Amino acid sequence: MRRFSESYLRRTRDGMWDDSRAALGDLDLGGRTRILDVGCGTGEFTRVLAEASEARVVGVDADTDLLSVASDRDSDIETVAGDATRLPFAAGSFDLVVCQALLVNLPDPTAALSEFARVSSDLVATVEPDNAAVGVDSTVESEAALDRRVRDAFRDGVATDVALGDRVRGLFDDAGLSVVGTRRYHHRKLTEPPYDDHDVRSAAKKATGEGLDRHEADLRRGLDDDSYESVRREWREMGREVVQQIRDGEYRRAEVVPFDVTTGRV
C-alpha cells in the first residue's frame, strides 16, 4: 500500500466537501448510527462524516502517526489502528463503512471491499478519484500538457490502479455488494495571488525537478529512460516559468479532480 505524509493529505484534501456534499446523498448520513472511515489518515473525511451525521464515527488507519495527527486536531475523533483488509471489528459492527481515496492505493481493492462488507450491517461506500480525468489549466502554456504526460506515465508505472473511476462498480460486484448508486464530485483546487508558502515551495520543486524525482521509479516504468530525462528537463523549464510568474504576481492554476462516490448494500 502506498503511504502519504500529513502535509500531502492536508494539501490534497483542503477544501474538499466545503462547496457541496450532494454527492454523499446515497450514504444517508442523517440516518446512520455507527460509521467507520477506513484509511482515514489525518481525519479530514472523518470530520466531514461527523459534521453531517449524529452517528458515532470511528476512523481506522494503519499509520499510527497519521492517527495521532487526527486525534490532535479533533479530540472528539475516535481512532483505531488497523489494516483495511483485516479490520479489528466484529461482523456487522457499523451500519456504514466508507473510505476516501483508499482503493486506488491498494494492490487488492476487492479484498478490502469484502472486509468492509463483513463489518457493515447495511451500507458500504467509496470515494475514489479518477486520476485519468484530472483537468489542469494554467497561465504557463506548457504546464497542462506536461502535467497530463506525467500523470499518464505515473498511471502506467505505478503498482496500483490510480484511475479506478466508475469501474469501482465492478469491484462492488466482485465483493458481493449490491450497488445503490454512483455520484460524481469535482474537487477544484486553485493557485492564485496572494500566494502562500506552499505555493512558493511547490513552484520551487517544479523548477528543481524535486517533485518528479520523488516518483522517479514509477515514472521510469511508464517511460523509457530517454523520455524520462526529456520530460524532466521540460518540467524544470516549466517550473522556472511558474517561479517567474509567481514573482510577477501573474501565475494562476486550476486543477479539477473528479471523485466517484459509489454506494452499495451488503
Side-chain angles (χ1 to χ4, degrees):
M1 176 180 173
R2 297 167 61 217
R3 296 190 179 276
F4 302 96
S5 67
E6 178 270 335
S7 61
Y8 172 86
L9 293 175
R10 183 181 67 250
R11 185 175 74 251
T12 57
R13 306 295 184 265
D14 184 39
M16 195 168 176
W17 304 114
D18 288 349
D19 52 346
S20 173
R21 295 177 181 175
L24 300 177
D26 291 333
L27 278 62
D28 183 28
L29 292 174
R32 302 294 104 189
T33 60
R34 304 177 312 282
I35 300 174
L36 179 65
D37 179 16
V38 184
C40 68
T42 50
E44 279 81 6
F45 192 45
T46 319
R47 285 187 288 276
V48 170
L49 297 169
E51 291 170 2
S53 74
E54 296 297 324
R56 171 197 174 200
V57 182
V58 178
V60 62
D61 201 284
D63 191 323
T64 55
D65 290 337
L66 296 181
L67 290 178
S68 295
V69 174
S71 298
D72 289 344
R73 288 182 180 173
D74 189 339
S75 59
D76 291 333
I77 289 181
E78 183 178 347
T79 60
V80 177
D83 188 295
T85 60
R86 296 185 299 277
L87 294 170
F89 305 103
S93 295
F94 301 88
D95 54 10
L96 170 63
V97 178
V98 62
C99 69
Q100 178 173 277
L102 174 68
L103 300 187
V104 292
N105 298 307
L106 297 178
D108 188 357
T110 302
L113 281 174
S114 297
E115 184 69 348
F116 295 2
R118 181 186 68 80
V119 301
S120 176
S121 63
D122 189 13
L123 296 181
V124 169
T126 62
V127 183
E128 295 297 327
D130 185 351
N131 287 303
V134 174
V136 172
D137 188 26
S138 171
T139 52
V140 173
E141 186 175 355
S142 63
E143 184 168 12
L146 265 176
D147 185 272
R148 168 56 58 193
R149 188 176 178 189
V150 168
R151 285 182 187 274
D152 288 347
F154 178 77
R155 197 170 68 248
D156 291 341
V158 74
T160 63
D161 188 346
V162 296
L164 281 171
D166 59 9
R167 287 181 289 117
V168 172
R169 293 180 67 101
L171 299 180
F172 271 54
D173 292 339
D174 294 342
L177 292 162
S178 176
V179 175
V180 173
T182 299
R183 305 193 189 195
R184 177 158 278 201
Y185 171 76
H186 291 90
H187 180 35
R188 192 164 188 254
K189 296 180 283 186
L190 294 175
T191 303
E192 58 185 356
Y195 310 111
D196 59 23
D197 289 342
H198 167 71
D199 297 332
V200 174
R201 289 195 302 270
S202 177
K205 288 179 180 178
K206 289 177 180 177
T208 62
E210 180 183 345
L212 287 190
D213 292 343
R214 288 180 303 172
H215 304 289
E216 181 176 353
D218 293 322
L219 290 171
R220 285 190 181 276
R221 283 192 292 268
L223 297 164
D224 59 47
D225 288 343
D226 289 343
S227 295
Y228 174 77
E229 296 300 337
S230 175
V231 166
R232 190 175 185 278
R233 284 193 298 271
E234 293 177 52
W235 188 267
R236 293 180 65 194
E237 181 179 346
M238 176 270 291
R240 288 191 286 271
E241 291 186 52
V242 172
V243 169
Q244 186 58 55
Q245 286 196 13
I246 283 181
R247 288 172 178 164
D248 297 338
E250 298 175 350
Y251 181 64
R252 286 170 175 78
R253 182 183 191 274
E255 177 179 302
V256 179
V257 183
F259 284 79
D260 287 305
V261 183
T262 307
T263 306
R265 181 162 278 114
V266 297

